[in-house]
């Protein structure tokens, strides 16, 4: 648990470790270039011997301004994901128990915000009940970006259930059916101090949430604008899963520059162990200071 002014931030893990071969997450890049940063990256973020990157899949639970907000909902349970075995038909993950341990029941969540609609960010939007997908958080508004939704609605129209691991069909459409989706623009304020900010590139409408902590500074829940601390050292390394890698890299670089200038706290969706990091700029580039 992290306090940020009077906001409370908990990390609710769904899957950790999630190991990806470097060739998959950073195609064409040489992870061994960063062997000199071994002390910071290894063993938790990079396995140099296996040439792999290690991630966590988690939500951030945020309590502020009298609201309970859940940012990104990971992979979920019982979802058919045959193309990725460690996401496929998961059972007894303990995710909701960890939410309960942080003091929150599903019905307590006021707002669910998905930074984007990839299968590892929408899974707990729904759960299986009597053979049907129903919203996991019955009283929540599910906030999704207009550009992001428009992209996936086009994909769904072209190939119903046959894209993005089927996640739009089983983890987004049921929340539309229950009338809980709120389609928002950049700048939308979830609470007086928490606003949607554009971070395009990883997906067509990828967005983050910026928390104004007043004299405590600002924090940005930046989703998959940054996957790993590796990318603080190598801002140009977009992932193999990025929709527009050049745009994702420009977004990442601008975010890192701003983080270094303004001492922002960055809270990515897949950084292990720490909640996130601050960014220090030096002669050789950026470095993360884990928080
Ligand atoms: Zn992701």
């Amino acid at each position: 648990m992290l306090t940020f002014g009077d906001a409370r931030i908990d990390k609710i893990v769904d899957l950790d470790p999630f190991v990806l071969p470097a060739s998959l997450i950073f195609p064409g890049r040489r992870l061994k270039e960063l062997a000199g940063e071994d002390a910071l990256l290894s063993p938790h973020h990079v396995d140099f011997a296996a040439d792999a990157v290690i991630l966590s899949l988690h939500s951030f639970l945020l309590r502020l301004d009298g609201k309970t907000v859940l940012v990104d909902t990971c992979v979920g349970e019982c979802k058919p994901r045959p193309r990725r075995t460690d996401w496929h038909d998961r059972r007894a993950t303990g995710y909701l128990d960890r939410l309960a341990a942080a003091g929150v029941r599903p019905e307590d969540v006021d707002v669910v915000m998905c930074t984007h609609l990839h299968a590892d960010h929408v899974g707990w939007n729904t759960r299986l009940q009597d053979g049907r997908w129903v919203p996991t958080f019955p009283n929540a508004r599910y906030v999704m970006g207009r550009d992001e939704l428009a992209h996936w609605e086009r994909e769904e129209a072209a190939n119903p259930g046959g894209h993005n691991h089927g996640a739009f069909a089983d983890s987004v459409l049921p929340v539309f059916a229950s009338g809980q989706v709120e389609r928002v623009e950049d700048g939308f304020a979830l609470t007086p101090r928490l606003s949607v900010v554009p971070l395009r590139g990883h997906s067509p409408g990828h967005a983050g949430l910026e928390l104004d902590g007043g004299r405590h500074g600002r924090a940005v829940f930046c989703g998959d604008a940054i996957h790993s601390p590796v990318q603080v050292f190598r801002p140009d390394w977009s992932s193999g899963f990025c929709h527009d890698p050049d745009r994702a890299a420009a977004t990442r670089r601008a975010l890192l520059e701003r983080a270094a200038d303004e001492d922002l706290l960055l809270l990515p969706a897949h950084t292990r162990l720490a909640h996130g990091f601050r960014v220090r700029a030096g002669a050789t580039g950026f470095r993360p200071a884990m928080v």
Side-chain angles (χ1 to χ4, degrees):
M1 195 263 283
L2 186 70
T3 52
F4 194 80
D6 58 1
R8 171 177 169 171
I9 301 169
D10 291 271
K11 188 174 173 179
I12 310 295
V13 171
D14 187 31
L15 176 60
D16 182 0
F18 177 56
V19 181
L20 281 168
S23 59
L24 209 56
I25 183 167
F26 299 130
R29 309 293 191 179
R30 291 181 61 255
L31 209 47
K32 293 203 167 32
E33 275 179 29
L34 293 170
E37 303 298 346
D38 181 70
L40 196 142
L41 294 176
S42 175
H44 301 304
H45 307 290
V46 170
D47 182 339
F48 283 106
D51 200 30
V53 173
I54 315 170
L55 304 178
S56 148
L57 307 189
H58 54 262
S59 304
F60 283 110
L61 176 69
L62 178 58
R63 277 166 279 188
L64 85 164
D65 297 339
K67 298 284 187 194
T68 299
V69 179
L70 194 66
V71 185
D72 287 327
T73 62
C74 316
V75 174
E77 283 187 1
C78 306
K79 303 278 156 103
R81 304 285 184 256
R83 291 194 294 117
R84 197 175 285 291
T85 51
D86 39 6
W87 296 0
H88 181 63
D89 196 21
R90 301 170 71 230
R91 308 283 167 123
T93 60
Y95 175 87
L96 293 179
D97 297 333
R98 289 189 280 279
L99 192 67
V104 170
R105 301 166 301 171
E107 55 268 39
D108 298 329
V109 176
D110 298 304
V111 182
V112 174
M113 192 276 184
C114 299
T115 58
H116 61 300
L117 302 182
H118 283 169
D120 59 321
H121 293 259
V122 298
W124 278 105
N125 280 2
T126 60
R127 58 178 164 180
L128 202 55
Q129 200 170 72
D130 303 325
R132 289 176 53 239
W133 297 113
V134 300
T136 307
F137 308 101
N139 301 317
R141 293 182 294 150
Y142 285 69
V143 170
M144 300 177 193
R146 184 175 298 277
D147 291 354
E148 185 70 5
L149 269 173
H151 171 79
W152 295 108
E153 284 170 331
R154 282 193 299 273
E155 295 286 315
E156 185 67 13
N159 186 11
H163 62 101
N164 190 16
H165 302 271
F168 195 83
D170 63 33
S171 304
V172 179
L173 289 180
V175 190
F176 268 106
S178 67
Q180 288 172 261
V181 173
E182 189 160 349
R183 196 183 291 259
V184 304
E185 309 283 351
D186 297 328
F188 177 81
L190 275 69
T191 77
R193 296 184 294 151
L194 190 65
S195 304
V196 174
V197 288
L199 292 171
R200 301 290 193 265
H202 176 65
S203 70
H206 189 282
L209 276 182
E210 185 161 327
L211 167 60
D212 178 357
R215 64 187 173 84
H216 301 280
R218 288 173 174 261
V220 178
F221 298 87
C222 59
D224 285 4
I226 303 170
H227 287 84
S228 162
V230 162
Q231 292 163 300
V232 180
F233 296 105
R234 292 290 184 273
D236 295 337
W237 290 15
S238 286
S239 82
F241 316 113
C242 288
H243 176 80
D244 183 339
D246 293 340
R247 194 174 184 195
T251 292
R252 187 176 313 105
R253 187 168 279 286
L255 181 62
L256 291 168
E257 281 171 2
R258 195 183 150 215
D261 285 350
E262 301 177 23
D263 197 26
L264 296 180
L265 172 62
L266 298 183
L267 298 158
H270 298 307
T271 299
R272 298 187 72 212
L273 302 177
H275 284 79
F277 43 79
R278 295 180 189 271
V279 178
R280 307 290 175 233
T284 56
F286 298 116
R287 297 186 66 79
M290 308 310 286
V291 174

